[in-house]
């Protein structure tokens, strides 16, 4: 029964069908391109596409991300660096003064050892001629260079330069380096100021070295040689200051700030390289690349269009070195016929009606906040954007926080929007389950909206998920009906359902409606007898044996039938009279459709007045989702189920199934007000099953304890300061100590500092319960590839 989750409409209404391949909308009037994510002003989609998205740790917003500079010590760092520089400079000047006066023992011995003896008068270090004089000058220059290097190492000058200059923003960084460069040039070329001597032995050693190497006394007779040496020495002096000041970066930023954006779309020659689709050109598809570039630069292409075309290209050429000729030909033909509207979602939509969060459809990320600048966060992530994508949602996410903490508005809706955009790009399928009236997007943002119990609802839920196998349908139906009851064995309940569903399906070609199944579970003699008589034919021998076994077990003390019937009675109410009937005129949505189509589905549960029925349906949808995704684990798109309120929906089997989703290209997002809404026996397995965990502000210490156990401990360095009273032995010292105590009121003490490494909890239950500011959460992430991020404090308002 392959209906793709669609049947006729209820009450004669024409149902909005589950999306099927449709003719894309004309590219002449697409939705207007949106402002690039994170941009503060208007910008073209071409610029958005060209913005770099470097690889980063899980949870980092990659759009325009720039890794931070290396961390510098903050506490007293400036004071320590200045003291080190001053002390090392004073020692260096003292040594250089003694060297220039000749007061260093054996300071000329190395020079005489490596130079000819006829350059010096016997028994002295006085030079005989120009060679000796030049050798002494070069020797002084080498010693000066070694002294500068030693002083810089001893005084931590590189660290000081990074601390005071390099980490400053432009242009102040370039200005400071320029001032220092001018000062250095003044000392290297003092003749510019009218001085006769050169305080820094830089130029003279170079000239003397050239004279010694050439051996020509007339080498400096040519002005060209002298000018060349002047230029080379000047460039050598300026080079380190240019590196320190980032002069090239400052020039590029200043030039970029003065260039005005054109009012009209840029010409292809002026467009960013990424706008020319270089990956297509590298594969020899210049025609398709030219067409897409024209669509992009003319403003007829949105960010979702770019993501959809990029996804189609990756599908057509997963291996650029050995592409499939047939797939490439299909790709080129589709682009030629539809342009920017190629591969449009079967619904015809190319964007959502509205967005409440910042999205990057190209990589599938949604920004949910900013990592707080807090000491408990690693320096590398402080201030960076926090984002979620299918790579982390594939390990499933558990969010715990009280009502009003922001789970729905700051997590569930942004994630739902992101996955809906991914569905429009052909990469995702999403099913959102929430209470009726929850703000998780307009109806126009979804392909299917199910409102059980609402007479105006066009769609309802297929309890059997379009199954033809009675055992499979019985398994997830039993999970939804009695999976939360400890007194009922779910496996026995599944067997009981299969003993009824199989014979009924064999006789009628479909599964029973809710009232009929309830009567059969209650052991209604008339219904069972009619079913038994219908299976009298020989081809139904096996099914008649199943039904006979069920009739024998009916009424026994361990019979799960009455419990199943009681739970099914929650759906056998007048409000649901037109729902859940496989043979009726309704339009059931089948969960199986999400494994075949990039669907956007929202299910509004009638929690007001039908809370128990809503919990049952939520359990059933979760069980159906975990079952159907196994049937097609190699599907090309990611499938995700979002349960805005997962209280009393988790069972032992569903927790085990969630852990297997990460290998099936699927995941779930679970929201809980408190972990107490999950049976205590399942709390530990649940935290172990999900890869991403999120604790919102306002959680209790009981909830925090579970997060603390899941996040474990880490080694940290601690300092313990103990004060010990100083007892003086000398009378004068005792008198001074007494006077100091009289004046200050405190005894003379000395501090004993002990530094050691201890193992501490990453986040304690008390910190989670009492230290999280409003609008914040602690988030830990894991990816399906094995990457992970430790629990980090996130400002959801940033």
């Amino acid at each position: 029964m392959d209906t793709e989750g669609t049947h006729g409409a209820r009450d004669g209404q024409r149902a909005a069908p589950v999306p099927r391949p449709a003719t894309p909308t004309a590219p002449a009037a697409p939705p207007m391109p949106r402002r690039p994510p994170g941009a503060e002003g208007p910008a073209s989609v071409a610029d958005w596409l060209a913005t770099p998205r470097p690889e980063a740790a899980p949870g980092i917003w990659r759009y325009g991300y720039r890794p931070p500079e290396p961390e510098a010590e903050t506490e007293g760092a400036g004071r320590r660096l200045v003291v080190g520089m001053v002390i090392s400079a004073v020692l260096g000047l003292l040594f250089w003064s003694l060297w220039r006066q000749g007061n260093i023992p054996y300071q000329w011995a190395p020079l005489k050892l490596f130079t000819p003896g006829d350059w010096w008068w016997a028994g002295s270090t006085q030079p005989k001629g120009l060679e000796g004089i030049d050798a002494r000058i070069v020797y002084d220059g080498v010693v000066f260079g070694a002294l500068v290097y030693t002083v810089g190492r001893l005084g931590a000058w590189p660290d000081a330069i990074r601390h005071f200059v390099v980490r400053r923003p432009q242009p102040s960084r370039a200005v400071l380096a320029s001032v220092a460069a001018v000062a250095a040039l003044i000392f290297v070329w003092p003749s510019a100021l009218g001085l006769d001597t050169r305080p820094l032995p830089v130029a003279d050693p170079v000239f003397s070295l050239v004279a010694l190497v050439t051996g020509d006394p007339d080498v400096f007779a040519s002005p060209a040689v002298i000018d060349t040496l002047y230029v080379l020495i000047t460039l050598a002096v300026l080079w380190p200051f240019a590196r320190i000041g980032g002069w090239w970066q400052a020039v590029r930023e200043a030039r970029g700030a003065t260039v005005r954006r054109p009012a009209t779309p840029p010409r292809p020659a002026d467009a960013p390289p990424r706008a020319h689709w270089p990956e297509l050109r590298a594969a020899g598809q210049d025609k398709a690349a030219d067409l897409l570039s024209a669509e992009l630069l003319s403003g007829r292409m949105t960010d979702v269009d770019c993501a959809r075309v990029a996804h189609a290209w990756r599908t057509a050429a997963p291996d650029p070195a050995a592409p499939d000729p047939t797939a490439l030909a299909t790709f080129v033909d589709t682009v030629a016929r539809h342009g920017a509207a190629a591969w449009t979602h079967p619904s015809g939509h190319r964007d959502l009606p509205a967005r409440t969060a910042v999205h990057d459809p190209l990589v599938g990320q949604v920004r949910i906040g900013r990592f707080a600048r807090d000491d408990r966060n690693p320096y590398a992530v402080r201030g960076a954007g926090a984002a979620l994508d299918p790579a982390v949602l594939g390990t499933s996410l558990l969010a715990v926080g009280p009502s009003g903490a922001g789970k729905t508005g700051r997590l569930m809706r942004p994630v739902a929007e992101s996955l809906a955009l991914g569905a429009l790009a052909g990469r995702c399928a999403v099913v959102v389950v929430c209470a009726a009236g929850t703000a998780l997007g307009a109806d126009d943002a979804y392909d299917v909206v199910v409102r059980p119990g609402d007479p105006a609802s066009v769609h309802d839920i297929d309890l059997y998920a379009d199954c033809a196998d009675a055992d499979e349908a019985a398994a997830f139906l039993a999970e939804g009906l009695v999976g939360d009851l400890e007194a009922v064995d779910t496996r026995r309940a599944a067997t009981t359902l299969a003993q009824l569903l199989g014979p009924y399906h064999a006789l009628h070609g479909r599964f029973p409606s809710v009232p009929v199944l309830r009567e059969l579970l209650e052991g209604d003699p008339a219904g069972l007898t009619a079913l038994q008589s219908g299976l009298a034919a020989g081809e139904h021998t096996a099914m008649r044996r199943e039904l006979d076994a069920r009739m024998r077990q009916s009424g026994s003390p361990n019979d799960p039938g009455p419990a199943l019937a009681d739970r099914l009675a929650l759906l056998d109410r007048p409000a649901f009279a037109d729902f859940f009937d496989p043979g009726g005129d309704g339009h059931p949505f089948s969960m199986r459709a999400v494994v075949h189509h990039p669907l956007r589905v929202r299910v509004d549960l009638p929690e007001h007045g039908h809370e128990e029925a809503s919990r049952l349906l939520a359990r059933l949808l979760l069980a159906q989702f975990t079952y159907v995704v196994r049937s097609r684990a190699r599907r090309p798109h990611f499938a995700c189920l979002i349960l805005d309120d997962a209280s009393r929906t988790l069972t032992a089997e569903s927790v085990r199934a969630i852990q297997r989703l990460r290998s099936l290209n699927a995941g779930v997002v679970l929201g809980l007000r408190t972990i107490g809404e999950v049976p205590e026996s399942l709390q530990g397995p649940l935290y172990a099953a999900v890869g991403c965990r999120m604790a919102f502000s306002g959680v209790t210490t009981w909830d925090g304890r579970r997060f603390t156990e899941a996040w474990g401990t880490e080694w940290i360095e601690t300092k313990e300061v103990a004060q010990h009273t100083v007892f003086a032995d000398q009378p004068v010292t005792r008198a001074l100590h007494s006077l100091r105590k009289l004046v200050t009121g405190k005894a003379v003490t000395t501090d004993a500092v002990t530094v050691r490494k201890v193992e501490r909890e990453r986040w304690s239950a008390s910190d989670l319960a009492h230290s999280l500011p409003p609008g914040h959460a602690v988030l830990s992430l894991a990816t399906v590839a094995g990457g992970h991020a430790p629990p980090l404090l996130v400002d959801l308002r940033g």
Side-chain angles (χ1 to χ4, degrees):
M1 189 170 61
D2 186 9
T3 62
E4 296 182 346
T6 63
H7 298 281
R10 177 184 295 107
D11 298 335
Q13 303 178 57
R14 180 168 181 81
V18 174
R20 295 184 176 85
T23 302
T25 57
M32 291 299 294
R34 294 184 174 273
R35 190 176 65 184
E40 297 298 333
S44 67
V45 179
D47 293 333
W48 168 84
L49 184 64
T51 301
R53 295 165 174 84
E55 294 294 332
I60 298 293
W61 174 251
R62 291 171 52 189
Y63 178 83
Y65 172 69
R66 297 177 61 181
E69 297 292 337
E71 182 179 10
E73 297 183 19
T74 55
E75 185 179 354
R79 182 178 65 256
R80 290 194 298 271
L81 292 173
V82 169
V83 171
M85 292 173 64
V86 171
I87 293 177
S88 62
V90 169
L91 293 177
L93 292 174
L94 177 61
F95 178 86
W96 185 245
S97 177
L98 295 175
W99 179 270
R100 295 298 296 269
Q101 296 175 12
N103 294 330
I104 303 296
Y106 306 104
Q107 72 180 62
W108 304 113
L111 178 62
K112 296 188 68 176
L113 180 64
F114 292 100
T115 55
D118 57 356
W119 287 8
W120 316 97
W121 294 105
S124 70
T125 57
Q126 296 300 320
K128 287 183 177 181
L130 293 177
E131 292 87 351
I133 295 175
D134 289 336
R136 290 191 61 168
I137 295 175
V138 173
Y139 186 49
D140 285 343
V142 172
V143 172
F144 179 77
L147 178 63
V148 170
Y149 177 80
T150 304
V151 168
R153 297 291 295 179
L154 292 177
W157 282 62
D159 295 338
I161 292 172
R162 284 192 294 267
H163 182 81
F164 292 111
V165 181
V166 174
R167 68 175 189 168
R168 287 179 176 270
Q170 298 286 14
S172 61
R173 172 185 171 185
V175 170
L176 287 176
S178 302
V179 172
V182 171
L185 288 177
I186 291 176
F187 283 98
V188 172
W189 307 114
S191 58
L193 298 178
L195 302 178
D196 297 332
T197 60
R198 294 170 178 166
L200 297 181
V202 176
D204 290 340
V206 174
F207 282 96
S208 297
L209 180 63
V210 171
L212 288 175
V213 171
T214 60
D216 183 5
D218 298 329
V219 67
F220 299 115
S222 173
V225 175
I226 298 177
D227 293 341
T228 302
L229 290 177
Y230 281 171
V231 171
L232 292 177
I233 293 172
T234 302
L235 292 178
V237 172
L238 291 178
W239 174 255
F241 294 99
R243 293 287 303 274
I244 293 171
W247 291 354
W248 294 274
Q249 176 187 356
V251 171
R252 286 195 300 267
E253 292 182 359
R255 183 178 300 173
T258 57
V259 175
R260 295 182 178 179
R261 293 189 180 274
T264 58
R267 297 187 304 274
D270 301 330
R274 185 67 179 83
H276 294 290
W277 300 91
E279 62 273 18
L280 272 69
R281 299 185 188 277
Q285 305 300 327
D286 293 335
K287 182 179 178 181
D290 291 339
L291 179 57
L292 291 175
S293 297
E295 295 277 83
L296 177 63
L297 299 176
S298 62
R300 293 196 296 267
M301 207 168 189
T302 67
D303 55 353
V304 178
D305 294 334
C306 295
R308 188 179 62 253
V309 173
H311 174 67
W313 171 251
R314 287 192 297 269
T315 303
D319 184 7
D324 182 3
T326 304
L328 287 181
T330 303
F331 178 89
V332 174
D333 179 68
T334 306
V335 171
R337 287 188 292 110
H338 301 294
W343 299 282
T344 299
H345 189 264
S347 66
H349 297 164
R350 293 169 62 185
D351 205 345
L352 298 179
R355 303 187 191 182
T356 60
V358 181
H359 301 272
D360 187 1
L362 194 63
V363 294
Q365 284 191 318
V366 55
R367 182 165 176 168
I368 61 171
R370 184 183 296 275
F371 291 111
R373 298 185 182 275
D374 188 270
D375 292 340
R376 287 170 290 193
N377 283 351
Y379 171 80
V381 304
R382 295 175 190 170
L388 298 175
D389 56 35
V392 298
L393 296 178
T395 64
S396 299
L397 185 148
L398 173 65
V400 180
S403 300
K407 296 192 303 299
T408 299
R410 292 172 177 161
L411 175 64
M412 300 297 179
R413 178 159 186 177
V415 171
E417 284 184 2
S418 178
L419 295 175
L421 290 173
L424 295 180
R427 297 183 308 194
C428 298
V430 58
V431 179
V432 181
V433 181
C434 60
T438 305
L440 285 178
D443 293 353
D444 294 342
Y446 295 91
D447 304 310
V448 175
V449 178
V450 185
R451 297 186 178 92
D454 185 354
S457 176
V458 177
H459 299 84
D460 59 12
I461 297 175
D462 183 358
L463 297 182
Y464 306 103
D466 203 15
C467 276
D469 186 349
D471 291 325
E472 182 179 353
F476 56 70
L477 188 58
E479 191 69 26
L481 292 175
V482 295
D484 61 325
L485 297 179
E486 296 182 359
V488 180
D489 186 355
T490 308
R491 290 172 297 182
R492 289 179 58 85
T495 301
T496 297
L497 286 170
Q499 290 171 342
L500 294 173
L501 296 180
Y504 192 93
H505 188 276
L507 182 61
H508 299 283
R510 58 180 177 83
F511 291 120
S513 62
V514 170
V516 173
L517 180 59
R518 179 187 177 187
E519 292 175 355
L520 294 176
L521 289 170
E522 290 175 340
D524 177 53
L528 292 174
T529 302
L531 185 58
Q532 188 179 36
S533 60
L535 297 173
E539 66 269 16
H540 299 311
T541 302
M543 291 302 172
R544 188 169 60 252
R545 188 186 311 115
E546 286 281 285
L547 183 60
D548 291 342
R550 173 66 204 134
M551 295 176 67
R552 287 194 301 270
Q553 296 170 3
S554 179
S556 62
N558 295 326
D559 179 20
L564 289 168
D566 289 343
R567 282 299 181 86
L568 204 58
L570 296 172
L571 303 181
D572 189 16
R573 305 295 302 161
F576 305 119
D578 296 331
F579 290 83
F580 317 128
D581 186 1
D585 296 331
H587 188 264
F589 158 70
S590 169
M591 184 66 75
R592 196 172 300 275
V594 301
V595 302
H596 299 289
H597 306 287
L599 278 176
R600 302 168 295 165
V601 182
R602 194 187 74 218
V603 180
D604 294 342
L605 299 178
E607 291 196 353
H608 182 68
H610 300 279
E611 183 177 357
E612 290 297 328
S614 298
R615 294 303 96 201
L616 187 153
L617 291 174
R619 279 194 307 274
L620 177 61
L621 291 173
L622 177 58
Q624 286 184 351
F625 180 81
T626 57
Y627 267 89
V628 299
V629 293
R630 303 180 196 174
S631 62
R632 195 180 177 191
R634 298 180 62 85
R635 67 189 170 280
H637 61 269
F638 173 73
C640 186
L641 174 68
I642 299 177
L643 287 176
D644 181 60
D645 183 7
S647 59
R648 294 191 295 154
T649 62
L650 295 166
T651 64
E653 180 58 32
S654 62
V655 170
R656 284 191 293 267
I658 288 173
Q659 196 167 19
R660 295 191 292 264
L661 292 179
R662 63 181 66 193
S663 62
L664 301 174
N665 197 21
V668 297
V669 180
L670 307 172
L672 291 171
R673 286 182 291 270
T674 174
I675 195 61
E677 296 173 334
V678 177
E680 186 173 359
S681 60
L682 297 180
Q683 294 176 8
L686 174 61
Y687 277 87
V690 298
C692 307
R693 310 172 187 94
M694 195 169 185
F696 284 76
S697 60
V699 296
T700 64
T701 53
W702 291 272
D703 294 334
R705 179 172 57 86
R706 285 297 186 184
F707 282 102
T708 298
E709 294 172 354
W711 287 330
T713 59
E714 63 180 343
W715 289 95
I716 62 173
E717 190 176 86
T718 62
K719 292 183 180 179
E720 295 181 357
V721 180
Q723 293 184 339
H724 302 284
T725 303
V726 177
F727 297 97
D729 296 331
Q730 302 298 325
V732 176
T733 307
R734 285 200 298 270
L736 292 176
H737 286 185
S738 299
L739 178 61
R740 179 177 175 180
K741 183 176 182 181
L742 180 64
V743 173
T744 62
K746 297 181 180 179
V748 179
T749 60
T750 183
D751 292 341
V753 181
T754 302
V755 180
R756 61 177 181 174
K757 286 189 174 182
V758 298
E759 194 174 12
R760 293 278 180 86
E761 297 168 336
R762 297 180 183 271
W763 281 85
S764 68
S766 179
D767 289 339
L768 292 173
H770 305 295
S771 299
L772 290 187
H776 287 66
V778 179
L779 172 66
S780 66
L781 298 173
T783 67
V784 292
H788 68 279
L792 303 173
L793 182 62
V794 180
D795 184 358
L796 300 174
R797 303 166 300 183

